[in-house]
Amino acid sequence: VTLTTQCGSPSCGTFSLRRGSKYYSLSPEEAARLHSFPSGYKFVTKSKGAAYKQIGNSVPPLLAKHIAKSVGAA
């Protein structure tokens, strides 16, 4: 399972958090941390939806680092 561009929507189900009887979606900050972005990383966007899109369409930074090392690029 990977983070998608829709991870901010509780209706997507996979990334919904249940607290008591209510369901919540991940915040952009929580989604970014799960995707291995550093704490405090700033996405240049005008909306939360755009931040979710950037996160969901990105290659997780730690994955990119390991791929680069395996091909001798880093």
Side-chain angles (χ1 to χ4, degrees):
V1 177
T2 61
L3 289 173
T4 67
T5 60
Q6 299 298 315
C7 65
S9 174
S11 63
C12 287
T14 304
F15 303 104
S16 294
L17 306 169
R18 185 175 180 184
R19 293 181 186 133
S21 62
K22 294 185 179 181
Y23 287 88
Y24 298 88
S25 60
L26 296 174
S27 70
E29 294 79 15
E30 291 168 326
R33 288 298 296 143
L34 285 175
H35 225 221
S36 79
F37 283 90
S39 292
Y41 188 88
K42 300 291 181 195
F43 291 91
V44 180
T45 67
K46 294 185 180 195
S47 69
K48 282 186 179 183
Y52 288 120
K53 193 169 188 175
Q54 287 183 15
I55 295 163
N57 286 331
S58 70
V59 173
L62 290 179
L63 176 61
K65 178 182 175 180
H66 289 288
I67 292 170
K69 282 185 177 183
S70 74
V71 296

